[in-house]
Amino acid sequence: MSQAPKKGGIFQAYLNFNVLYKILIGLVIGAIAGVILAASGVTALPAWISMFGTIFTRLLKMIIIPMIVGSLVVGAASVSPATVGKVGIRVVIIYLITSAIGVTIGLVMGNIFQPHAILAVEAAEKVPATTDQTIWNIIANIIPTSVLSSLVNETVLQVIFFCLVFGLCLSYLKASSDERLKTIAQTTYNVFDCLTEIMMKIVQGIMQYAPVGVAVLICEVFAKNGANVVGALVIVLVACFLGYAIHIVLVYGGLLKIFRIKIGKFVKEARTPFLTAFVTRSSNGTLPTTMTAAENLGIDKEVYAFSLPLGATINMDGTAIYQGVCAFFLVMTCYGRGLTFGEMGMVILLATLASIGTAGVPGAGAIMLAMVMAGINLPIEAGTTLAQAYAMILGIDALLDMGRTALNVTGDLTCTACIAKKLGLLKEDSILK
Ligand code: ASP
């Protein structure tokens, strides 16, 4: 009788253990090791240990461009032209506006709380290429003259622009009445869909490695700076969660009021998706719950069957707030200054567009944060202060992600209810004032 192979082992147990806890444990172990090293007068790790942190930063950088390309093309191609007419345009506009407000709130929180860690490393190591360009130049430069060179040079805004145009045209071809066009468009869509799935798999793999990378990077931070950086992370958490709360009250509360939707009934139904998103940290995973809530609210299926999956893909208000706060934290930590007006404008634009390319899965927003930083000419390079500050954020990302995902999902439901109300597609009177 052949014996079944022994399943499991330490590696399998490691893989099975929740990534959220693993990264937090990595953060704590790295911090403790760093404090011990600092106390014993060691301020730099041996090169072979530092390498593990460098590998992590490089892995993250590696993924940015392919991830934007895949998810933005798929995101834009998901807006079906047939539905765009009545519901789509309105939904997309309200999604983008609320995300832009979200990132603005994040930046306001950043300016108020000024979250930053005082890292004792090359404080002004690099003068960021802040623009002496005019706004008109910046707008014109969004259009690439060579798509390939914008990919190679990682000119994020140009890549975003091209992917959106590409995705939108693809969605038109997919809906073409010409069978040939329809087939090749669907095949192309499948290729990009597959690219996105592959990238998500790679991200999952990187996240399995993240606890090691975070532990080493955090250890370096603590060895150089002692425990005084903990306060900075607490301030980031407070600034983000306060931003989330303000967005819920002002933006969602305001929208429900403007569209005369009963807040009590809405809150009663929105509670379940809110909590599900908080726990799962995935807008996509929460989708069935969000749809049930929409149904219970009396929203016509014609609206929510389109707008909720689209929202889970392109509407990320919580992620946008997080981007605003964290961009501020990173710049302030590395250069001891806030964001310039130009950079803030760029962050609003990038984070709003990035929300289209942020997959509704745990941790996706953190990858997009790296993209936003690259977009304001501050790429996260291995061995820099920026990489260490980014690792600090990543260490608490699970906590930040809970709040931002809950907000992302609530935003989808709020906007959907408002559009349905506007179009007279709310079946039940109970939700109307
Ligand atoms: N986890 C978020 C979501 O699923 C995305 C993010 O990481 O910001 O909506």
Side-chain angles (χ1 to χ4, degrees):
M1 206 169 76
S2 70
Q3 255 191 321
K6 199 173 148 221
K7 278 210 185 125
I10 293 182
F11 186 60
Q12 193 57 45
Y14 176 83
L15 291 182
N16 291 343
F17 192 56
N18 190 320
V19 175
L20 183 159
Y21 298 130
K22 276 189 296 207
I23 297 184
L24 274 178
I25 291 171
L27 174 84
V28 173
I29 292 178
I32 293 173
V35 170
I36 293 172
L37 288 177
S40 39
V42 181
T43 51
L45 296 181
W48 71 271
I49 298 186
S50 276
M51 178 194 71
F52 290 99
T54 306
I55 288 177
F56 180 55
T57 317
R58 293 184 71 101
L59 283 170
L60 284 171
K61 248 196 126 208
M62 172 186 89
I63 199 80
I64 295 177
I65 291 291
M67 175 109 167
I68 307 179
V69 171
S71 49
L72 271 184
V73 169
V74 171
S78 312
V79 187
S80 117
T83 349
V84 158
K86 196 162 64 167
V87 184
I89 290 283
R90 289 182 170 89
V91 169
V92 172
I93 288 175
I94 195 168
Y95 280 164
L96 291 180
I97 290 177
T98 51
S99 295
I101 296 176
V103 57
T104 310
I105 290 178
L107 286 169
V108 170
M109 290 293 111
N111 279 290
I112 293 175
F113 283 90
Q114 309 250 319
H116 66 284
I118 305 188
L119 299 185
V121 265
E122 334 141 56
E125 73 272 29
K126 181 173 152 191
V127 180
T130 34
T131 50
D132 49 8
Q133 300 186 52
T134 65
I135 181 77
W136 312 118
N137 272 338
I138 295 174
I139 294 173
N141 282 341
I142 293 177
I143 297 159
T145 47
S146 154
V147 177
L148 283 185
S149 69
S150 40
L151 286 170
V152 172
N153 297 324
E154 303 184 0
T155 319
V156 175
L157 213 45
Q158 295 185 351
V159 175
I160 293 181
F161 174 81
F162 184 74
C163 290
L164 286 179
V165 173
F166 187 96
L168 287 174
C169 292
L170 186 57
S171 84
Y172 272 88
L173 289 185
K174 266 199 321 159
S176 163
S177 52
D178 180 329
E179 269 315 306
R180 186 188 71 87
L181 287 181
K182 202 174 166 150
T183 315
I184 52 176
Q186 188 58 49
T187 312
T188 310
Y189 176 85
N190 291 346
V191 169
F192 280 92
D193 200 15
C194 180
L195 174 71
T196 312
E197 291 298 331
I198 294 171
M199 291 309 141
M200 292 319 302
K201 271 270 166 273
I202 297 178
V203 168
Q204 279 171 16
I206 296 176
M207 286 304 146
Q208 290 296 344
Y209 178 72
V212 178
V214 167
V216 173
L217 290 168
I218 290 291
C219 180
E220 283 182 326
V221 171
F222 275 74
K224 280 187 186 125
N225 309 283
N228 55 4
V229 286
V230 173
L233 289 179
V234 174
I235 297 178
V236 170
L237 270 170
V238 171
C240 280
F241 274 84
L242 199 63
Y244 300 156
I246 291 174
H247 195 83
I248 290 184
V249 174
L250 289 188
V251 180
Y252 301 153
L255 279 172
L256 293 174
K257 262 235 144 341
I258 291 169
F259 285 87
R260 301 178 56 75
I261 292 171
K262 259 189 192 157
I263 294 185
K265 162 95 175 156
F266 182 87
V267 169
K268 186 164 168 271
E269 294 302 335
R271 251 179 347 200
T272 313
F274 183 91
L275 289 176
T276 313
F278 193 85
V279 178
T280 61
R281 300 185 297 131
S282 168
S283 302
N284 286 352
T286 309
L287 201 48
T289 326
T290 324
M291 291 218 173
T292 312
E295 183 71 40
N296 293 345
L297 283 169
I299 298 170
D300 197 300
K301 194 163 182 206
E302 187 191 338
V303 181
Y304 78 72
F306 164 75
S307 71
L308 289 179
L310 185 71
T313 315
I314 73 165
N315 186 40
M316 306 273 169
D317 299 351
T319 306
I321 293 171
Y322 152 91
Q323 308 272 8
V325 173
C326 292
F328 198 97
F329 170 83
L330 292 174
V331 170
M332 186 103 190
T333 296
C334 297
Y335 304 114
R337 63 167 178 86
L339 290 154
T340 62
F341 275 110
E343 284 168 340
M344 284 198 257
M346 203 63 167
V347 169
I348 293 176
L349 183 63
L350 283 163
T352 305
L353 295 175
S355 69
I356 301 176
T358 308
V361 296
I367 309 277
M368 282 301 165
L369 176 61
M371 183 216 87
V372 169
M373 295 311 291
I376 55 169
N377 288 326
L378 300 173
I380 293 164
E381 311 273 11
T384 59
T385 316
L386 199 56
Q388 293 184 348
Y390 180 70
M392 289 174 66
I393 294 288
L394 222 55
I396 56 163
D397 189 62
L399 303 173
L400 298 170
D401 197 5
M402 289 174 155
R404 65 180 191 248
T405 310
L407 207 71
N408 291 347
V409 166
T410 311
D412 300 342
L413 198 58
T414 307
C415 295
T416 298
C418 293
I419 296 296
K421 172 73 200 300
K422 168 101 187 129
L423 298 171
L425 292 168
L426 261 174
K427 283 184 222 143
E428 287 173 18
D429 284 344
S430 60
I431 194 173
L432 306 179
K433 255 192 178 147

